[in-house]
Amino acid sequence: MTENTQQQPASNPELPTQYVPAEVEGKLYERWVERGYFEADEKSEKPPFTVVIPPPNVTGSLHLGHAFEHTLIDAVTRRKRMQGYETLWQPGMDHAGIATQNVVERELAKEGKSRHDLGREAFVERVWKWKGESGGQISGQMRRLGDGVAWSRERFTMDEGLSKAVQTIFKKLYDDELIYRAERIINWCPRCLTAISDIEVEYQDDDGELVSLKYGEGEESVVVATTRAETMLGDTAVAVHPDDERYAHLVGKRIKLPLTDRTIPVVADTHVDPEFGTGAVKVTPAHDPNDFEIGRRHDLPNITVMDERAVITVPGPFEGLDRMEARSAIVAALRAEGRIVAEKRPYTHSVGHCSRCKTTIEPRLSLQWWVKVGPLAKAAGDAVRDDRVTIHPKEMESRYFGWVDNLHDWCISRQLWWGHRIPVWYGPNGETVCVGPDDEAPTGEGWTQDTDVLDTWFSSGLWPFSTLGWPEQTPSVEKFYPNSIMITGYDILFFWVARMMMFGLYAMDGTPPFSTIVLHGMVRDQFGKKMSKSFGNAVNPLDWMDTYGSDAVRFTLARGANPGVDVPIGEDWVQGSRNFANKVWNATRFAMMNGATVEGPLPDAADMSATDRWILSRLNAVVAEVDAYYEDYQFAKLSDSLFHFAWDEVFDWYVELSKTTFIDGGAAAKVSGRVLGEVLDVTLRLLHPIVPFVTETLWTTLTGKESVVVADWPADSGFRDVAAEREIEHLQQVITEVRRFRSDQGLQPGQKVPARLDLTGTPLAAHEAAIRQLLRLQPEGEGFHATATLPVEGATVALDLSGTIDVEAERKRLTKDLGAAEKEKAQATAKLGNEAFLAKAPDNVVDKIRGRLTKAETDIERLTAQLAGLPQG
């Protein structure tokens, strides 16, 4: 456990009486950065450990989800650095195409201008200016949290190197016929005025209306239902199932489309479900993805009825109306013609919304650029199936396969000005030329570049290798690719992880971008509710850091991080973590004032007390336990293990049990002082990756060394002393039982009581001084009268409570409590013996009653012993 380097104890170490995070954290972080602790050297012979930061948007600020994810990544990388790896945590930011363009366009609107007033080139310059002045505030907030990233390597998805990577892979995919341009149905945002991908659409239940319409007349009529009546202006068919005999006489015929001068055919298509509704559906190929496919199969025309702002463009009475206005007007017109067969209002149904501006999405036929994902997605699935990549927790694999095995081609073009412009030029005679980074763009009259930019996820999908200098085979690529691990939320498994897998395998000769994917859950409030400004429960982690310190926020988040599970968090939990940091501070300060030292080697076990051997045995067990939890990414369990070891075993037991030793002084005090120094040294190093600031201050003061950031990670020495562990457990049981008895008798914690200890024949005899010290038990004097006797684990503790309690009143109270416990036991026993009840009751109810029975039995045993211990009158 001890480092091999020479111990340099601090001379007269002093710590302030209180730990004030605000006075410590900022200075410590800047010192770490100045000393280059977080930088990574590709020339190093150490084994590499690489992880990239999920690049936050340049428009963003640190929210609780960032703080959670960054805490986990930082804990892993800090530990790996201490274990001797050349560790690279790669930072950077995403240009966030739509979000950033929206921010700058809002600024222009305040000036009474639009981007079109500036023109494309000037607008892009304006965005770069905004980025330089206002973007990237999250970088400073990451420093507040303690992120150990290699700041000298910070990248931006629009910087020169990453732009070259984007152009390179676009050209490669284009040449391999994996990128193409085609007219398809896409998700269109009428507010952002761009296409967005399927995974950028958020679905929610909205109240709308379901209207049933009659097309045609008499026997040659059919009823269809729709929630988007305005799209009927673009209908080019009605479809029925080929086996549906109700409509067999209509298939192949044409019927009148209401409110228009057109007739449309009735077609037979197996896509139609004859059991749903009337078994007939209207077909609008230009405004619905399923209808588009029906239209392709039956060679139907595509009629677009709305412009990019979702305004009706069909000549007639509805031209110029917004889609929602047109919906009401069209329903009214159909009602006037007697075409409305039924109306259901409100009709709750799932509606897609733009994930950025929340506007209702409009499916729209559009000419866009696409990635043919079939072979790329297959490779991404195979890499997990053949164990080249491990997903943790394993149960998340099914979600991953469910996505990559069913991916549709990816629409990668966006109708924006901010972003990587598509590197394709069109010539005056219909020529199309894709230009790589080393190619000359076509010049001359009539040549123009495609006006669209690429989806933001296209560039962030290259992040694990573009940030290292690819497409050049740089030393960083050689050293740090593939990444070791990807830690990210399960909510962007599809957005980002799948994209990185596809591009990494494609661009890097079949080498996956990382070997392990660790998926964590979402941060929620203490009631499990999603955090949102609209709900009034959103939390700014910076406020909590200001109040309680960054360590407290980090420890709270890590302690709630079970793999793949959402994390509830409340302010009182952060307060508890602040209390833990204070406990570590105060206990370490006390220990150092009382002789804790790291000077010299550990004493021989033969020279140690059982208490010393016990704590060293437990310390090694905890080192092994924490290591196992780290390897399994069980952040909550390792945090809990460290919490209880530090607070309960080290500070509440070992320090307390050793007080008499330190008071007496001598050789035993020196041995225990060295043991306590060792325990603090190792415990602080174990805690450091999660709570870096308080541990840095304490560890450097304790050891006199440079920094715990670059200290060795503790190793399990293998030292175990089962006998000592049993002996101290026995001691703890005695002390706990007597403390409980004192509390039950109403004695104050500091109230001294005369006592006789019979420890003969037990290992506890050596601990009599500690027992008396912790239990406030005075030696028996003249006139000692044992009014209560407690047999505890082979030892006997006789107490003289004369004058301290009203024996009769205490007997009545205990008798009353005993009667209540016996009644509770009888009721629980009766219910658990009732077969009819057990057959009907839910498992959680039965478990609750079993728990009540167990508690009642424990209470009966305790109360009976207390009554027996009372003096007999």
Side-chain angles (χ1 to χ4, degrees):
M1 293 179 294
T2 304
E3 294 179 84
N4 293 325
T5 52
Q6 179 67 36
Q7 297 285 358
Q8 296 294 329
S11 57
N12 300 317
E14 292 185 3
L15 289 166
T17 55
Q18 288 186 320
Y19 176 56
V20 183
E23 296 177 0
V24 172
E25 294 177 349
K27 295 175 184 177
L28 281 185
Y29 189 84
E30 290 310 312
R31 188 164 71 199
W32 292 336
V33 172
E34 287 169 7
R35 292 179 176 178
Y37 292 155
F38 304 141
E39 296 303 323
D41 182 5
E42 58 263 16
K43 297 177 183 177
S44 168
E45 294 183 1
K46 296 178 182 178
F49 181 85
T50 317
V51 58
V52 295
I53 193 171
N57 288 349
V58 67
T59 58
S61 61
L62 189 76
H63 57 63
L64 211 50
H66 287 132
F68 174 52
E69 184 167 84
H70 290 202
T71 294
L72 304 187
I73 299 173
D74 197 40
V76 169
T77 53
R78 283 178 182 270
R79 173 174 175 261
K80 286 294 183 181
R81 188 178 295 111
M82 295 172 75
Q83 286 181 312
Y85 286 82
E86 191 62 32
T87 303
L88 169 60
W89 184 9
Q90 172 70 59
M93 286 184 293
D94 192 284
H95 65 279
I98 296 176
T100 306
Q101 181 158 319
N102 282 346
V103 168
V104 178
E105 286 197 273
R106 282 196 296 269
E107 283 192 352
L108 287 174
K110 294 175 184 176
E111 302 170 13
K113 297 178 182 177
S114 74
R115 60 182 162 121
H116 300 286
D117 295 322
L118 271 66
R120 183 170 193 140
E121 187 174 334
F123 176 76
V124 171
E125 287 181 6
R126 177 72 177 256
V127 179
W128 276 109
K129 181 172 182 288
W130 174 88
K131 190 255 181 188
E133 294 174 354
S134 306
Q137 61 174 321
I138 196 170
S139 294
Q141 295 164 351
M142 287 163 56
R143 293 170 182 261
R144 285 283 313 278
L145 187 65
D147 285 4
V149 298
W151 287 112
S152 69
R153 292 172 173 264
E154 186 174 13
R155 303 303 298 269
F156 180 56
T157 50
M158 286 281 286
D159 69 29
E160 184 178 350
L162 270 67
S163 295
K164 181 177 182 181
V166 168
Q167 199 171 351
T168 298
I169 201 161
F170 187 99
K171 169 72 170 171
K172 179 174 170 61
L173 288 163
Y174 182 88
D175 290 346
D176 288 345
E177 298 183 348
L178 292 173
I179 280 183
Y180 63 95
R181 196 181 190 214
E183 195 173 43
R184 300 274 181 85
I185 293 286
I186 48 91
N187 302 300
W188 182 265
C189 177
R191 182 187 176 282
C192 296
L193 300 180
T194 182
I196 64 174
S197 66
D198 291 344
I199 52 179
E200 294 169 296
V201 179
E202 293 179 349
Y203 288 90
Q204 66 184 48
D205 287 341
D206 288 355
D207 284 341
E209 59 181 351
L210 180 67
V211 183
S212 296
L213 315 174
K214 185 178 76 170
Y215 288 7
E217 302 293 343
E219 291 186 359
E220 295 189 352
S221 66
V222 64
V223 174
V224 298
T226 183
T227 58
R228 301 164 65 217
E230 69 279 7
T231 63
M232 65 151 295
L233 299 174
D235 286 358
T236 55
V238 169
V240 298
H241 194 276
D243 298 333
D244 195 334
E245 295 181 359
R246 294 173 295 175
Y247 303 113
H249 66 291
L250 287 177
V251 174
K253 294 185 177 180
R254 301 184 72 86
I255 57 177
K256 178 75 164 54
L257 179 65
L259 306 183
T260 72
D261 58 1
R262 293 190 290 116
T263 61
I264 58 177
V266 177
V267 300
D269 196 281
T270 54
H271 171 76
V272 180
D273 180 0
E275 303 297 324
F276 184 77
T278 64
V281 297
K282 60 192 285 298
V283 181
T284 320
H287 291 277
D288 182 273
N290 293 321
D291 293 3
F292 177 75
E293 296 301 325
I294 293 174
R296 290 176 67 178
R297 288 193 288 271
H298 297 277
D299 200 24
L300 300 174
N302 301 314
I303 300 177
T304 300
V305 301
M306 296 177 218
D307 66 11
E308 61 183 7
R309 298 183 184 275
V311 172
I312 300 299
T313 57
V314 176
F318 311 111
E319 186 176 9
L321 294 180
D322 172 79
R323 57 183 166 166
M324 301 304 177
E325 298 171 332
R327 183 174 299 171
S328 298
I330 288 171
V331 169
L334 290 166
R335 189 181 296 112
E337 287 194 4
R339 294 285 175 180
I340 303 293
V341 175
E343 295 180 72
K344 186 175 181 180
R345 189 183 298 109
Y347 177 71
T348 303
H349 61 131
S350 182
V351 178
H353 296 260
C354 174
S355 62
R356 290 176 177 81
C357 72
K358 311 309 177 186
T359 301
T360 300
I361 289 300
E362 189 63 43
R364 185 169 187 257
L365 188 65
S366 181
L367 184 62
Q368 302 283 347
W369 285 94
W370 304 80
V371 171
K372 187 184 296 182
V373 300
L376 303 176
K378 182 181 184 304
D382 289 346
V384 175
R385 287 189 170 94
D386 62 22
D387 295 326
R388 281 177 290 154
V389 177
T390 301
I391 293 180
H392 186 90
K394 190 172 180 61
E395 53 265 28
M396 287 286 180
E397 280 187 1
S398 60
R399 297 182 65 170
Y400 176 78
F401 292 135
W403 181 256
V404 298
D405 292 348
N406 297 284
L407 267 180
H408 300 297
D409 284 0
W410 173 18
C411 177
I412 56 172
S413 45
R414 299 290 181 266
Q415 290 63 57
L416 304 170
W417 286 357
W418 173 244
H420 295 102
R421 195 166 174 181
I422 289 176
V424 172
W425 271 255
Y426 306 110
N429 300 311
E431 303 96 330
T432 299
V433 175
C434 180
V435 176
D438 300 322
D439 300 333
E440 289 291 332
T443 56
E445 187 175 349
W447 282 94
T448 59
Q449 186 177 357
D450 195 298
T451 57
D452 289 349
V453 301
L454 287 163
D455 177 12
T456 297
W457 296 104
F458 190 95
S459 51
S460 58
L462 312 179
W463 193 248
F465 50 93
S466 63
T467 52
L468 300 174
W470 187 91
E472 308 302 326
Q473 194 62 20
T474 64
S476 288
V477 171
E478 291 280 355
K479 178 74 174 179
F480 296 115
Y481 188 89
N483 293 186
S484 308
I485 191 173
M486 167 53 55
I487 301 178
T488 191
Y490 64 70
D491 56 316
I492 59 171
L493 176 64
F494 318 126
F495 284 84
W496 190 41
V497 175
R499 307 301 196 229
M500 288 188 289
M501 287 285 284
M502 290 192 296
F503 281 166
L505 290 159
Y506 173 74
M508 306 301 284
D509 299 321
T511 302
F514 25 73
S515 56
T516 304
I517 301 168
V518 177
L519 298 172
H520 59 71
M522 310 283 287
V523 178
R524 297 182 178 272
D525 70 14
Q526 65 265 45
F527 306 109
K529 191 174 182 180
K530 181 180 178 181
M531 286 191 174
S532 166
K533 289 181 180 178
S534 61
F535 294 156
N537 64 349
V539 172
N540 183 348
L542 297 170
D543 293 340
W544 280 354
M545 283 189 253
D546 289 341
T547 305
Y548 305 111
S550 297
D551 283 336
V553 174
R554 289 170 62 114
F555 193 72
T556 304
L557 291 165
R559 206 171 174 195
N562 290 297
V565 178
D566 288 346
V567 183
I569 185 172
E571 187 167 3
D572 55 337
W573 303 342
V574 186
Q575 291 174 357
S577 295
R578 186 267 314 273
N579 294 343
F580 175 61
N582 287 341
K583 180 77 170 182
V584 173
W585 179 274
N586 292 332
T588 303
R589 181 174 178 273
F590 171 84
M592 292 171 63
M593 290 171 61
N594 284 273
T597 179
V598 295
E599 186 173 5
L602 273 175
D604 291 337
D607 296 328
M608 297 181 190
S609 68
T611 309
D612 295 333
R613 297 194 305 276
W614 161 72
I615 197 63
L616 288 177
S617 183
R618 288 293 304 129
L619 177 66
N620 276 284
V622 168
V623 169
E625 186 174 74
V626 168
D627 274 333
Y629 284 144
Y630 262 116
E631 295 305 312
D632 199 33
Y633 309 103
Q634 297 279 359
F635 297 100
K637 289 182 178 179
L638 72 89
S639 300
D640 215 44
S641 176
L642 287 169
F643 174 88
H644 287 294
F645 176 70
W647 191 306
D648 300 342
E649 298 187 78
V650 178
F651 303 141
D652 279 358
W653 282 110
Y654 181 73
V655 171
E656 292 297 317
L657 289 170
S658 301
K659 278 184 178 178
T660 54
T661 303
F662 290 129
I663 291 170
D664 293 342
K670 289 185 178 180
V671 170
S672 291
R674 180 64 189 90
V675 169
L676 180 53
E678 179 76 4
V679 171
L680 291 174
D681 171 15
V682 173
T683 302
L684 291 171
R685 282 187 278 152
L686 289 172
L687 282 167
H688 172 73
I690 298 175
V691 284
F693 295 107
V694 69
T695 52
E696 171 79 341
T697 306
L698 293 173
W699 189 84
T700 53
T701 305
L702 171 70
T703 66
K705 290 190 168 187
E706 179 184 347
S707 173
V708 70
V709 177
V710 290
D712 290 343
W713 180 251
D716 175 7
S717 71
F719 176 80
R720 299 289 192 279
D721 192 323
V722 176
E725 290 195 36
R726 288 175 179 165
E727 181 174 329
I728 301 305
E729 285 173 11
H730 188 183
L731 175 62
Q732 290 171 331
Q733 289 169 351
V734 170
I735 292 173
T736 300
E737 195 61 35
V738 177
R739 278 177 172 168
R740 183 181 296 120
F741 179 79
R742 286 179 55 110
S743 176
D744 289 340
Q745 303 306 315
L747 297 178
Q748 295 300 313
Q751 187 173 352
K752 294 182 179 180
V753 177
R756 177 188 301 132
L757 305 185
D758 183 2
L759 308 175
T760 307
T762 76
L764 300 183
H767 302 283
E768 180 168 349
I771 292 173
R772 289 188 177 277
Q773 167 81 16
L774 293 177
L775 292 173
R776 303 295 189 267
L777 302 181
Q778 293 176 319
E780 55 183 300
E782 284 189 29
F784 176 82
H785 176 55
T787 59
T789 303
L790 300 179
V792 186
E793 299 295 329
T796 302
V797 180
L799 304 174
D800 184 353
L801 302 179
S802 302
T804 62
I805 62 170
D806 183 334
V807 175
E808 286 307 312
E810 186 63 17
R811 182 175 283 111
K812 287 181 181 179
R813 183 184 73 81
L814 293 173
T815 302
K816 181 181 177 181
D817 290 349
L818 180 60
E822 288 172 338
K823 182 179 178 180
E824 176 74 0
K825 177 183 177 181
Q827 290 176 342
T829 301
K831 283 190 175 182
L832 293 173
N834 186 333
E835 294 296 335
F837 169 78
L838 293 176
K840 294 179 181 179
D843 290 345
N844 65 316
V845 173
V846 175
D847 288 342
K848 187 175 181 180
I849 293 171
R850 288 196 179 110
R852 284 168 50 192
L853 176 60
T854 300
K855 182 179 184 302
E857 290 173 339
T858 301
D859 288 345
I860 289 169
E861 183 180 353
R862 175 176 56 83
L863 293 165
T864 301
Q866 289 175 16
L867 279 166
L870 287 176
Q872 301 300 313

